[in-house]
Amino acid sequence: QVALLDIDICGPSIPKMMGLEGEQVHQSGSGWSPVYVEENLGVMSVGFLLSSPDDAVIWRGPKKNGLIKQFLRDVDWGEIDYLVVDTPPGTSDEHLSIVQYLSATHIDGAVIITTPQEVSLQDVRKEINFCHKVKLPIIGVVENMSGFICPKCKNESQIFPPTTGGAEKMCQNLNVSLLGKVPLDPQIGKSCDKGQSFLSEAPESPATLSYRNIIQRIQEYCDQRHFQEENTT
């Protein structure tokens, strides 16, 4: 059972990507009911609260923090195995709030996404530093848009050249795990726009295989962490 919480308050894209655009949140005696993609995948996003997907959310920090707290307090997820929180890029109010509000739950850790070029890596180094400062474990880094594999000749081209060594070199320097590299695939963008599962639409794509390996590594990390916690309590 997986809960997906979208706290990108100003740019909520999860409803579109999950094929849930136009869905509404319903309230019951036990709180807000998440919107379900499948029986085992529930979603909550500010996008469900907007009258139009084109509406701008122009909020200062305190109002964002209040909504995040309400999502955590009032959404009736039921029994879940994983809570996945999608955050905006950077290290802003949303990140500070979610770490603070969930501090007592022993967060498993953060998965940090980058692309190979140095401009992206500069921001990711700041995010890694943020995690260290707030004592948030880092599960690992994923390098997105990591080369393009031609579907015909199978040769790989570097669309965004890793001029400083990419995520692999950065992870070595900062002693952080590299969970995997996801190659460019135009079908990913098409699937997101249509609200369809890329893994189902393109099961043989190199990107799908990479996604599955990354998911497996994250699950193994979480299982090991829970095992260690149980043995120390």
Side-chain angles (χ1 to χ4, degrees):
Q1 294 294 323
V2 178
L4 175 57
L5 176 59
D6 179 12
I7 63 166
D8 191 345
I9 306 298
C10 295
S13 56
I14 291 295
K16 176 75 172 177
M17 295 167 64
M18 291 289 167
L20 300 174
E21 213 168 31
E23 295 286 344
Q24 299 292 318
V25 173
H26 300 286
Q27 283 188 299
S28 65
S30 56
W32 287 353
S33 298
V35 180
Y36 283 89
V37 183
E38 297 176 1
E39 287 186 4
N40 66 333
L41 176 57
V43 180
M44 180 55 69
S45 169
V46 70
F48 298 137
L49 308 178
L50 304 177
S51 57
S52 164
D54 296 330
D55 285 351
V57 179
I58 308 172
W59 289 357
R60 295 188 185 275
K63 197 166 183 181
K64 290 181 183 179
N65 298 343
L67 182 63
I68 293 170
K69 183 182 287 187
Q70 193 169 5
F71 278 161
L72 294 173
R73 183 187 62 208
D74 295 346
V75 176
D76 181 17
W77 297 107
E79 291 292 327
I80 58 173
D81 299 302
Y82 296 95
L83 172 63
V84 180
V85 181
D86 180 48
T87 68
T91 54
S92 55
D93 290 304
E94 292 90 338
H95 306 81
L96 286 167
S97 296
I98 198 72
V99 171
Q100 178 186 348
Y101 297 151
L102 292 178
S103 59
T105 66
H106 304 292
I107 303 171
D108 288 317
V111 176
I112 302 174
I113 314 299
T114 186
T115 51
Q117 64 270 43
E118 178 59 25
V119 170
S120 177
L121 294 171
Q122 282 186 342
D123 291 337
V124 168
R125 291 188 190 97
K126 295 181 179 69
E127 290 164 9
I128 291 172
N129 183 252
F130 167 86
C131 291
H132 291 325
K133 286 184 175 179
V134 298
K135 296 181 172 54
L136 176 64
I138 299 172
I139 298 175
V141 173
V142 174
E143 185 176 83
N144 199 14
M145 303 183 185
S146 181
F148 171 73
I149 300 174
C150 176
K152 293 185 178 179
C153 69
K154 304 302 180 184
N155 287 332
E156 184 174 358
S157 302
Q158 295 297 330
I159 308 298
F160 301 107
T163 54
T164 57
E168 188 169 359
K169 181 68 173 177
M170 180 195 69
C171 288
Q172 290 173 358
N173 292 340
L174 299 178
N175 194 27
V176 176
S177 296
L178 178 64
L179 295 174
K181 300 180 179 182
V182 181
L184 279 164
D185 188 326
Q187 183 62 41
I188 297 175
K190 293 177 183 177
S191 296
C192 289
D193 285 348
K194 293 179 180 178
Q196 298 172 340
S197 168
F198 169 73
L199 273 64
S200 300
E201 294 292 309
E204 302 302 321
S205 166
T208 295
L209 301 178
S210 180
Y211 278 132
R212 293 195 182 280
N213 288 334
I214 291 166
I215 292 167
Q216 183 177 353
R217 291 194 63 184
I218 293 171
Q219 286 180 314
E220 289 172 353
Y221 172 95
C222 293
D223 290 343
Q224 183 179 11
R225 184 174 171 84
H226 294 169
F227 177 77
Q228 290 172 345
E229 286 182 354
E230 288 173 359
N231 287 343
T232 55
T233 55

